[in-house]
């Protein structure tokens, strides 16, 4: 059987004979056909997941599949959109088209079910290393998308979840400690990032954030992007950052929780700004999610870190950079 047809059997998908609310033609024809619905907008993005760059070849294939879809979908969540469909372009070595592919597809299926997001098309090819490109499509009521560019001086800055846990998991994998059971939950955060799908939609739906993005490359790098897009600066309180608690077995290994929280990538939580008048509404909407206020937007363009002793220093962007 052709690889695309096998993927369509292994991953929740919509075939070309099945119609859904906004899909005229699904996987199996030359292209998918989407129906435009009045009053709503499509939001779309694509993301690479490359062996050696984004994951190590020895990682569980389930994690590679899960994370490839989670990473891409995180960008829809960051706009406030509801995930709807995805397309998968996958190139593999011939030796990975059997068991490896089934395990990869089972991880990707888990993410597709969690995000309620069927596969509607894609392409497969042969390559010496695993090369994945996921294209995601989301929907949002017209005009509700939350951009990076809307923050104003005086807005409060929030993040979801704990910052730097996924990076801590990566450090654990790098140090060859993956088999230690007490460290499993950190490794899990690196392999299977949990993205706040419904919170993104709820925030946008209630017009709460003035600007929003996902934290993919680390707070320091992503906050700088938001500040550049909004033409403003920020001050961040080091003592308020939701940093991970470093397990005692790692304390002697030079892992700094503040550095993890500031620069650690791949948590895929949300970074968003809220005007003071919308803060009471935020507390009602985000009751069931961990959110933390970490600072304020400022008029001058620098990004400043305020230490617990009152000292302040510029915060350089030292998150993940694929070219460094
Ligand atoms: Mg993003």
């Amino acid at each position: 059987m052709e690889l695309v047809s096998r993927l369509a059997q292994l991953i929740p998908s919509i075939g070309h004979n099945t119609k859904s609310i906004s899909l005229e033609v699904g996987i199996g024809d030359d292209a998918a056909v989407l129906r435009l619905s009045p009053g709503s907008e499509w939001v779309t993005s694509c993301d690479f997941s490359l062996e050696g760059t984004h994951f190590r070849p020895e990682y569980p294939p389930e994690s590679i599949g899960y994370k490839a879809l989670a990473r891409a979908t995180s960008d829809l969540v960051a706009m406030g959109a509801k995930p709807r469909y995805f397309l998968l372009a996958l190139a593999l070595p011939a030796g990975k088209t059997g068991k490896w592919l089934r395990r990869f597809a089972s991880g990707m299926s888990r993410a597709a079910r969690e995000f309620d997001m069927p596969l509607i098309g894609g392409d497969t090819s042969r390559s010496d290393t695993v090369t994945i490109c996921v294209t995601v499509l989301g929907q949002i009521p017209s005009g509700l998308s939350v951009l990076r560019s809307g923050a104003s001086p005086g807005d409060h800055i929030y993040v979801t979840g704990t910052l730097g846990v996924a990076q801590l998991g990566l450090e654990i994998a790098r140090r060859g400690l993956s088999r230690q059971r007490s460290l499993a939950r950190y490794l899990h955060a690196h392999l299977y990032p949990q993205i706040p799908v419904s919170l993104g939609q709820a925030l946008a739906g209630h017009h709460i954030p003035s600007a929003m993005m996902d934290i993919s490359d680390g707070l320091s790098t992503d906050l700088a992007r938001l500040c550049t897009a909004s033409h403003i600066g920020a001050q961040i309180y080091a003592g308020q950052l939701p940093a991970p608690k470093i397990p005692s077995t790692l304390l002697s290994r030079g892992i700094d929780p503040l550095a993890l929280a500031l620069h650690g990538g791949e948590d895929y939580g949300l970074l968003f700004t809220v005007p003071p008048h919308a803060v009471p509404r935020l507390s009602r909407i985000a009751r069931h999610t961990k959110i933390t206020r970490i600072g304020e937007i400022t008029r001058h363009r620098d990004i400043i870190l305020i230490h617990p002793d009152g000292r302040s220093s510029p915060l350089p962007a030292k998150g993940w950079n694929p070219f460094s």
Side-chain angles (χ1 to χ4, degrees), residues 74-75 78 148 213-216 222:
S74 174
D75 284 323
R148 298 176 177 188
M213 66 184 297
D214 62 327
I215 308 180
S216 53
D222 288 324

Side-chain angles (χ1 to χ4, degrees), residues 110-276:
R110 204 179 106 198
R113 281 190 299 268
E114 277 179 29
F115 311 151
D116 190 18
M117 193 185 204
L119 177 69
I120 58 165
D123 192 19
T124 53
S125 190
R126 207 188 65 143
S127 160
D128 292 338
T129 56
V130 177
T131 304
I132 305 157
C133 182
V134 174
T135 301
V136 287
L137 291 141
Q139 236 170 349
I140 191 162
S142 296
L144 277 194
S145 298
V146 187
L147 312 185
R148 298 176 177 188
S149 52
S152 301
D155 289 357
H156 301 194
I157 305 172
Y158 290 87
V159 294
T160 63
T162 306
L163 297 174
V165 199
Q167 183 75 35
L168 182 54
L170 176 62
E171 301 297 335
I172 287 165
R174 278 184 182 150
R175 287 166 165 81
L177 302 169
S178 303
R179 288 176 190 280
Q180 287 201 20
R181 281 183 58 192
S182 64
L183 304 178
R185 70 188 175 98
Y186 306 103
L187 193 64
H188 196 270
H190 170 58
L191 297 177
Y192 300 93
Q194 298 299 297
I195 60 173
V197 178
S198 49
L199 182 69
Q201 290 167 66
L203 292 173
H206 289 84
H207 302 271
I208 291 170
S210 47
M212 183 155 73
M213 66 184 297
D214 62 327
I215 308 180
S216 53
D217 298 340
L219 176 68
S220 62
T221 293
D222 288 324
L223 176 63
R225 291 174 175 145
L226 187 145
C227 286
T228 303
S230 291
H231 308 290
I232 40 81
Q235 57 184 29
I236 298 297
Y237 301 103
Q240 290 179 19
L241 293 172
K245 200 172 170 314
I246 307 296
S248 52
T249 40
L250 292 179
L251 277 177
S252 56
R253 292 174 185 258
I255 293 180
D256 172 18
L258 179 62
L260 284 178
L262 286 172
H263 312 300
E266 295 205 304
D267 287 318
Y268 299 105
L270 292 171
L271 165 68
F272 59 99
T273 58
V274 179

Side-chain angles (χ1 to χ4, degrees), residues 198-209 272 278-291:
S198 49
L199 182 69
Q201 290 167 66
L203 292 173
H206 289 84
H207 302 271
I208 291 170
F272 59 99
V279 169
R281 267 185 293 148
L282 170 65
S283 330
R284 284 198 297 275
I285 298 302
R287 253 181 316 187
H288 304 294
T289 316
K290 178 180 174 178
I291 59 164

